[in-house]
Amino acid sequence: VNAALKEENIEIKKSYSQEKIKNTELTQEKEELSQQVNLASLLKAYNISATGIRLRGKNNREEVTNKASRVDILKICFTLSENKLAETGNKTVYIRIARPDKLILVKGSDDIYSFIHDGQRIQYSLKKEIDYQNKALDMCLAWVKHDKKESAMPGTYNISIFIDNYEIGQTSLTIE
């Protein structure tokens, strides 16, 4: 009887070890699949364009320009992707516009003009609240130059778009 119990004990330990290994493998597989779902649920921006705009005449008619002395507005347009896996509801879109000297165009230096990205507080240039309903959404935001008499800085402006603590797109604009 004792020998039979010892043999049964060894079989149970073997079976337990095998089940423990299976459990570990399933846990790892679950984590990998969860990460894939999280990546799939991220929104993306595409058809990103940035243009310099000059306001003309009494009606402030918009005219595209890339001349630093004529730029009054930087207009950033893009399409927010359709994503059935993304969470619906209110979201905040942030746009950062970096001048050629790497300074971010901001409305003020207070914390109200910043957001948290990857654990760091960073400044934004433009912000827009949206109601995302899993459908593609075309958006345009405009940065209006503060001092109309001063020329824009010539060079390449780098523009980054953020939503849900992720960078979802980038573009650049060169002003002569």
Side-chain angles (χ1 to χ4, degrees):
V1 172
N2 196 17
L5 286 174
K6 282 183 181 179
E7 194 174 304
E8 186 181 342
N9 190 10
I10 290 170
E11 285 297 318
I12 290 174
K13 284 183 180 179
K14 242 190 237 180
S15 177
Y16 175 74
S17 290
Q18 289 171 346
E19 291 301 317
K20 198 172 178 181
I21 290 169
K22 276 187 193 175
N23 189 18
T24 303
E25 289 171 355
L26 287 172
T27 301
Q28 286 175 341
E29 188 177 329
K30 180 184 171 196
E31 286 176 16
E32 289 171 6
L33 289 172
S34 179
Q35 286 177 347
Q36 286 178 350
V37 168
N38 284 342
L39 286 175
S41 71
L42 294 178
L43 297 174
K44 302 213 177 349
Y46 59 95
N47 294 338
I48 304 170
S49 68
T51 51
I53 303 291
R54 176 183 185 188
L55 300 176
R56 303 260 331 223
K58 293 178 184 176
N59 297 334
N60 282 335
R61 184 174 41 92
E62 292 185 359
E63 179 181 275
V64 176
T65 184
N66 67 344
K67 302 288 183 205
S69 61
R70 296 182 180 161
V71 171
D72 295 318
I73 296 172
L74 293 179
K75 190 173 189 179
I76 297 96
C77 295
F78 60 95
T79 302
L80 198 56
S81 65
E82 175 181 347
N83 190 331
K84 299 292 183 197
L85 297 176
E87 196 175 305
T88 61
N90 293 332
K91 297 189 179 294
T92 305
V93 176
Y94 296 99
I95 296 180
R96 284 174 49 102
I97 304 170
R99 296 188 326 190
D101 62 359
K102 307 291 186 235
L103 287 177
I104 304 299
L105 297 176
V106 293
K107 294 180 182 178
S109 59
D110 299 340
D111 279 351
I112 29 174
Y113 301 109
S114 65
F115 66 103
I116 303 294
H117 173 67
D118 285 341
Q120 294 182 3
R121 182 167 292 282
I122 59 176
Q123 299 294 126
Y124 66 83
S125 305
L126 301 165
K127 169 182 164 179
K128 183 170 184 174
E129 300 288 331
I130 60 166
D131 182 20
Y132 184 73
Q133 296 301 317
N134 300 99
K135 297 189 182 344
L137 183 63
D138 293 325
M139 300 178 67
C140 284
L141 285 88
W143 172 265
V144 180
K145 192 169 67 171
H146 295 296
D147 187 356
K148 302 278 189 213
K149 295 176 185 171
E150 190 176 320
S151 292
M153 181 180 285
T156 301
Y157 288 71
N158 292 307
I159 296 137
S160 301
I161 304 168
F162 298 84
I163 195 167
D164 290 340
N165 200 24
Y166 292 99
E167 185 173 352
I168 61 170
Q170 292 182 345
T171 192
S172 62
L173 167 67
T174 301
I175 296 178
E176 300 172 356

